[in-house]
Amino acid sequence: MVLQVLYLLMHDPDDQPGKGFMLTGKRFKLSKPTLAFNIPNINRAAVAVPAGTILRVVSGPSSGDRKIEVLWNCQVVTMFAYDLSKSGTEI
């Protein structure tokens, strides 16, 4: 599964017309703490999302951007898609 997620992250959806990233709506369980950014009113603060947390991807990554937004503790935070693919398992 990690290889499938990495493939999606490394290939630009614009390279294949009609095909895009399919991470939105997927859920992942973290196997280790992972860095995320809380961005209320553009005041960025790094937070560690604990191992065992279940996250749902709400958007991204968009073309040319490797960050995604995930739902955690009833709030949306931003993280790098690569980090989620390395420390998370799709459920």
Side-chain angles (χ1 to χ4, degrees):
M1 182 59 195
V2 171
L3 292 178
Q4 290 173 332
V5 172
L6 287 174
Y7 175 83
L8 290 173
L9 299 177
M10 302 308 286
H11 291 81
D12 190 338
D14 293 334
D15 291 341
Q16 301 173 357
K19 293 188 177 183
F21 292 107
M22 302 304 278
L23 294 179
T24 301
K26 293 192 177 191
R27 296 174 28 177
F28 293 84
K29 183 173 183 178
L30 297 180
S31 60
K32 61 183 179 179
T34 305
L35 186 66
F37 301 94
N38 185 358
I39 309 178
N41 302 326
I42 315 296
N43 184 10
R44 296 180 185 208
V47 293
V49 181
T53 298
I54 295 176
L55 304 170
R56 183 173 57 90
V57 179
V58 294
S59 71
S62 59
S63 180
D65 188 7
R66 301 294 181 220
K67 292 178 283 204
I68 58 174
E69 292 183 333
V70 298
L71 186 61
W72 172 54
N73 281 348
C74 298
Q75 66 179 359
V76 175
V77 296
T78 301
M79 62 184 358
F80 292 103
Y82 179 81
D83 291 345
L84 181 62
S85 72
K86 295 300 275 180
S87 61
T89 303
E90 185 177 355
I91 56 172

